[in-house]
Amino acid sequence: MTKPGVILLAAGKSQRFRAATGRHKLLETLKNSSLTVFEQSLENIQRSELDIQVVLRPEDVMLQDFCQRAAVPYLCLESEGMGDSIAAGVRARADWSGWIIALADMPFIKPEIFVAVAQSVQQGQCARPVYRGQVGHPVGFPLTMRHPLEALCGDEGARGLLKAHPPWLIETQHAGCLWDIDVPQI
């Protein structure tokens, strides 16, 4: 059994951002950076030195190309929601000892947050960061949660699991665990 790894969810349809701009939010270049939202999210995870599995949509060829160039494993899924994506990612990496679910539209999560969540997961706990009383991402699940994660579907994600198994909250001074890109302002 290996250590926990990160499932990077990038199979959303980017509907609000596309409605506002006509473009895919994960391919937008961040302000004061040469990296896209997706590249920055992936780089932060790579800097944590945890294993990665990306979940993409079949039509997102540019993201697939980037994963191939970065030698990062990915799978393609016609996802109907976050639950479908989580389940597919966990099934693809059933050999891990836990799963840290990260959202590709959250490019400001520091590598040390991924590491802290992984450490809690290795101790058998669900875990997530909290910044000034607000819960953030990523969210980690230990091996004991494998089958419930694999059974997820639709757009609910893992909310129900977190209600039944309240996560250990990891205090952080990094607000990036709260910031996602849904509408243009990056």
Side-chain angles (χ1 to χ4, degrees):
M1 190 66 59
T2 63
K3 62 184 179 180
V6 180
I7 306 290
L8 182 60
L9 303 181
K13 296 178 183 174
S14 186
Q15 291 175 321
R16 288 183 296 261
F17 197 95
R18 284 186 202 252
T21 67
R23 300 182 309 268
H24 193 307
K25 66 182 171 184
L26 298 181
L27 297 173
E28 291 292 302
T29 302
L30 294 165
K31 287 182 183 173
N32 304 315
S33 176
S34 62
L35 298 177
T36 66
V37 171
F38 181 76
E39 290 169 325
Q40 185 65 63
S41 296
L42 188 58
E43 180 180 288
N44 289 343
I45 298 167
Q46 289 174 313
R47 288 181 27 223
S48 76
E49 298 184 2
L50 294 165
D51 289 340
I52 307 168
Q53 174 68 53
V54 178
V55 181
L56 301 169
R57 295 191 72 74
E59 64 269 20
D60 289 335
V61 176
M62 291 179 73
L63 297 177
Q64 294 170 35
D65 289 345
F66 183 79
C67 287
Q68 289 174 351
R69 287 192 308 275
V72 173
Y74 68 92
L75 63 89
C76 292
L77 177 70
E78 285 285 347
S79 179
E80 291 302 318
M82 198 176 298
D84 296 334
S85 296
I86 293 169
V90 170
R91 282 192 296 270
R93 298 313 302 250
D95 58 323
W96 288 350
S97 64
W99 302 269
I100 300 157
I101 310 303
L103 309 178
D105 67 350
M106 296 188 75
F108 306 112
I109 299 172
K110 301 279 186 190
E112 55 265 29
I113 292 175
F114 289 103
V115 172
V117 172
Q119 289 169 343
S120 291
V121 167
Q122 282 182 296
Q123 295 172 10
Q125 304 174 84
C126 293
R128 73 184 315 170
V130 61
Y131 174 77
R132 296 185 180 177
Q134 292 185 46
V135 293
H137 289 272
V139 181
F141 297 91
L143 182 60
T144 56
M145 300 298 293
R146 177 179 162 201
H147 296 299
L149 289 168
E150 290 176 332
L152 293 174
C153 61
D155 201 32
E156 174 73 12
R159 286 185 204 124
L161 294 179
L162 292 172
K163 285 179 185 172
H165 305 276
W168 177 258
L169 299 178
I170 302 165
E171 291 283 339
T172 180
Q173 299 304 310
H174 301 287
C177 71
L178 304 176
W179 299 336
D180 65 344
I181 310 290
D182 277 332
V183 294
Q185 292 178 353
I186 57 176

